[in-house]
Amino acid sequence: MPKADNMLAILWLLKSRRRMTAKQLAEELEIHIRTVYRCIDALCISGVPIVSETGRDGGYFIPEHIKLEPLFFDAEEQKALLQAAAFAREAGYPSKAALSRAVSKIKRYANSEQLERMERHEISLEVIQPPSAASLISMLTEIEKCMDLQSSLELCYKTGYDGSINKRIVDPYGLVHWKSKWYAVGYCRLRGEIRSFRVDRMSDLICTDHQFERPPDFSARSFFIGQLAFG
């Protein structure tokens, strides 16, 4: 586990269980006790007020009056995150593995009461949607990669009106999920304008070395809605 994850895990444990020794933290996280000491030192240096007490009932703890809301979620926030994760997974969210890891972390450092409540939330809301093909998820991942790098995307695109396939180079600005379909919105270098493309009609995606600059304040959602309004 990376150092940052260890530090966050220690924060979660101290916040939820109040007081733990270095040995207990090491056993819980399955890390060396020296790693615990290093993480505690790093947290203290960064400004987290962790108190250390020696003796039989000693250990590390964070004082009750200290608020760490930016790092911790209350019950309603946990519920919202878990249910949003359910929607994202069923929609074919390309970063599903990372999403699952994040949800696992929330659960891992919850106490038994919190965990029971979160599990109830997870089964109380279900999303029914056709499963996304593995090829679609891999394409969404490639599109997201190009968006992150601001690199032009080369692809073959099958048009809906005549079924012809042509090669396009697109500067991807954003992704939109509409009526169980994913659309990439961006500047089409073939047509010389911003367009939307159904991802399931794409093939042979390649993230090129050509860089582009995304227009400031551009909203893929607003553009897509505008297209729908004007047919």
Side-chain angles (χ1 to χ4, degrees):
M1 188 184 294
K3 182 179 178 181
D5 285 350
N6 285 328
M7 291 168 63
L8 182 57
I10 289 171
L11 275 176
W12 272 99
L13 289 170
L14 293 179
K15 186 67 175 177
S16 61
R17 303 188 189 180
R18 305 307 180 195
R19 188 186 298 258
M20 296 182 73
T21 65
K23 183 174 182 292
Q24 289 171 329
L25 289 166
E27 290 174 350
E28 179 74 22
L29 299 175
E30 299 179 352
I31 58 178
H32 198 281
I33 194 167
R34 286 199 296 267
T35 302
V36 173
Y37 293 139
R38 286 195 294 268
C39 289
I40 293 288
D41 288 343
L43 287 166
C44 291
I45 291 171
S46 67
V48 179
I50 297 175
V51 178
S52 173
E53 287 189 352
T54 58
R56 182 178 177 181
D57 298 320
Y60 294 107
F61 67 94
I62 298 173
E64 289 284 343
H65 66 280
I66 299 299
K67 302 293 184 182
L68 296 174
E69 280 82 356
L71 293 173
F72 299 95
F73 306 115
D74 61 28
E76 283 301 306
E77 290 167 339
Q78 290 172 353
K79 175 183 176 181
L81 286 168
L82 290 170
Q83 294 183 341
F87 272 102
R89 279 192 294 261
E90 292 302 319
Y93 181 62
S95 301
K96 186 161 56 175
L99 179 63
S100 296
R101 291 197 303 271
V103 170
S104 295
K105 285 179 183 178
I106 293 174
K107 290 181 178 180
R108 180 175 182 180
Y109 308 119
N111 59 39
S112 57
E113 182 183 344
Q114 292 170 330
L115 183 59
E116 183 181 350
R117 183 174 62 245
M118 285 190 282
E119 288 175 345
R120 286 201 306 270
H121 290 327
E122 278 194 303
I123 63 173
S124 67
L125 185 148
E126 297 183 69
V127 182
I128 299 175
Q129 186 162 301
S132 298
S135 59
L136 180 65
I137 295 174
S138 66
M139 287 191 288
L140 288 169
T141 302
E142 189 70 9
I143 295 168
E144 278 208 328
K145 173 185 170 184
C146 288
M147 288 193 298
D148 184 50
L149 297 173
Q150 294 199 87
S151 296
S152 298
L153 178 68
E154 183 180 299
L155 57 100
C156 291
Y157 191 68
K158 182 178 181 179
T159 59
Y161 50 88
D162 62 2
S164 61
I165 297 176
N166 51 61
K167 186 167 287 189
R168 305 284 183 105
I169 296 179
V170 178
D171 299 340
Y173 296 159
L175 284 166
V176 175
H177 189 256
W178 167 256
K179 290 188 175 181
S180 300
K181 300 291 184 184
W182 282 97
Y183 296 81
V185 177
Y187 181 79
C188 176
R189 295 188 173 273
L190 177 66
R191 303 303 183 196
E193 60 184 8
I194 298 175
R195 291 201 169 190
S196 62
F197 303 87
R198 266 180 54 173
V199 177
D200 60 341
R201 292 179 181 168
M202 297 179 178
S203 62
D204 302 323
L205 278 65
I206 299 173
C207 196
T208 72
D209 294 329
H210 182 271
Q211 300 293 118
F212 68 87
E213 186 172 340
R214 188 178 188 274
D217 303 322
F218 177 82
S219 168
R221 179 181 183 273
S222 297
F223 174 84
F224 192 82
I225 290 173
Q227 277 195 317
L228 294 175
F230 292 101

